[in-house]
Amino acid sequence: MPELPEVETVKRGLEGRIVGKTVVKVDFDWPKGFPNAPGDVEAFLLGASITQIQRRGKALIIEISTGYALVIHLKMTGQLVFVAANQSDRFGAGHPNESLVAKLPDTSTRVVLDFSDGSKLYFNDQRKFGWMRLMPILAVEDLPFFQKLGPEPMASSTTNAMLRARFTNRKNSMIKAALLDQSVLAGVGNIYADEALWGAKIHPRTRVGQLSDSELNTLFTELRSIMEQAIASGGSTDKNYVNADGQKGSYLQIARVFRREGQLCKRCQTTIEKIRIVSRGTHICSACQKERL
DNA sequence: CACTTGACCTGTCCGC
DNA sequence: TGCGGACAGGTCAAGT
């Protein structure tokens, strides 16, 4: 389930691997995942080169020399995996990714881009929730998804005061629902919502209006800190997520509550519980994160 | 408008 | 062993 740290990790991986490369072939057989007008691929992608890669929220924007861009959302099980021309150089016998690369393309492969140097980029998506779309760069920001998207939590221009104002617009929501709402704040998903709430000692069912300014500030500080650590760990791999080299992220090895139900709270040794809030699996320490009525 | 819930998908796991 | 059902969770549409 790629959230901001996972998508950022993919973005950084792709920057060093596909920028400057020329696309010579595109294979896809899945209209819902690549819903483009006939002819777009030939006119605006083939023969063109990758110029830069951006991330906004959980979406990636791969810009192309034709003034078009590939906009990609990995949703829950999407992967973007780069494979060099000579696989054995990078994924030879004994390499941790040998088995993964050996089976690409697999049954989850939706799109394959071939570059002129023989390398390839695979877009895999087991559950088909993700999408990839070719469109003019100038039209990207007009997509409803980007129109509604809230500010970037890690940007220096995003202040606590600004975030407090956005959250308190949703004062009757549970804080976890507000954190997951991409129109309030971009990039937070189930993993880092639980991790940040534990860090700030806030029960996820608390209504936004019940939180003081200082509690909200602590929550935002925790969120930034957690996301920074997650990026440094290459993101979180629960099942599907891998980076641009096909490697897993290691954040869950240092996670405090997520997927730690039944284990002890690292702060107070109480057993971590898994409950259900806003239809999502939610991990809490009921001693550190007291529910208020 | 604020807020919640179900649908979209497929692979996996659990109980029978 | 096989099978039904619950579960995983990002976003959007539709509901209250």
Side-chain angles (χ1 to χ4, degrees):
Chain A
M1 48 209 114
E3 305 180 25
L4 187 154
E6 289 74 33
V7 179
E8 179 66 23
T9 302
V10 171
K11 180 212 164 196
R12 293 181 186 183
L14 290 178
E15 275 176 339
R17 285 161 184 77
I18 68 168
V19 169
K21 295 202 167 150
T22 300
V23 180
V24 294
K25 185 164 170 251
V26 181
D27 285 314
F28 60 94
D29 58 357
W30 187 50
K32 181 170 169 290
F34 202 140
N36 268 87
D40 276 6
V41 165
E42 291 73 15
F44 302 109
L45 185 56
L46 295 185
S49 60
I50 308 297
T51 53
Q52 66 168 330
I53 303 176
Q54 308 203 57
R55 178 193 60 75
R56 184 78 174 86
K58 302 173 190 172
L60 279 172
I61 303 158
I62 299 179
E63 297 190 2
I64 303 157
S65 56
T66 52
Y68 270 57
L70 284 168
V71 185
I72 302 167
H73 201 301
L74 301 174
K75 290 288 182 84
M76 258 110 71
T77 56
Q79 305 174 329
L80 282 172
V81 181
F82 176 80
V83 178
N86 185 352
Q87 290 184 3
S88 62
D89 285 351
R90 295 173 44 151
F91 302 103
H95 190 284
N97 301 320
E98 186 188 3
S99 60
L100 172 70
V101 171
K103 66 181 184 185
L104 288 178
D106 63 20
T107 54
S108 75
T109 298
R110 310 294 167 206
V111 183
V112 185
L113 297 189
D114 285 46
F115 299 105
S116 59
D117 66 353
S119 59
K120 295 173 193 282
L121 182 66
Y122 293 89
F123 174 43
N124 306 320
D125 185 15
Q126 180 183 96
R127 285 172 70 180
K128 300 184 180 174
F129 285 7
W131 45 265
M132 174 182 284
R133 192 170 159 196
L134 181 63
M135 60 190 303
I137 292 172
L138 293 175
V140 171
E141 65 183 26
D142 292 330
L143 284 176
F145 176 83
F146 291 106
Q147 283 283 311
K148 291 184 308 185
L149 206 54
E152 290 289 326
M154 308 302 282
S156 54
S157 56
T158 303
T159 63
N160 280 355
M162 177 197 302
L163 293 182
R164 284 201 310 273
R166 300 184 72 89
F167 273 75
T168 49
N169 270 341
R170 300 280 309 266
K171 60 185 167 63
N172 292 320
S173 285
M174 289 181 272
I175 184 63
K176 175 147 181 178
L179 276 170
L180 293 176
D181 186 337
Q182 303 299 294
S183 71
V184 175
L185 176 65
V188 182
N190 209 36
I191 299 173
Y192 303 107
D194 283 6
E195 290 289 291
L197 286 166
W198 180 89
K201 301 188 183 177
I202 295 170
H203 193 287
R205 219 156 5 218
T206 312
R207 303 283 158 175
V208 173
Q210 295 178 290
L211 293 166
S212 67
D213 282 3
S214 129
E215 285 177 306
L216 284 172
N217 287 344
T218 302
L219 177 60
F220 303 143
T221 302
E222 280 295 323
L223 183 64
R224 292 190 189 95
S225 156
I226 279 304
M227 287 197 159
E228 230 164 71
Q229 290 178 58
I231 291 170
S233 304
S236 295
T237 296
D238 184 21
K239 281 173 145 305
N240 287 273
Y241 168 73
V242 293
N243 68 15
D245 282 333
Q247 299 166 321
K248 298 177 176 186
S250 65
Y251 176 80
L252 290 187
Q253 291 174 21
I254 59 170
R256 295 95 55 94
V257 283
F258 193 83
R259 283 294 133 78
R260 292 193 71 244
E261 61 268 29
Q263 300 179 52
L264 300 184
C265 171
K266 297 182 175 184
R267 236 172 359 216
C268 76
Q269 318 306 316
T270 301
T271 303
I272 302 293
E273 300 169 34
K274 183 173 180 183
I275 58 179
R276 204 152 180 88
I277 296 179
V278 291
S279 308
R280 295 291 174 256
T282 301
H283 309 75
I284 59 162
C285 168
S286 59
C288 291
Q289 298 165 270
K290 292 267 197 314
E291 187 160 8
R292 24 190 140 169
L293 300 174

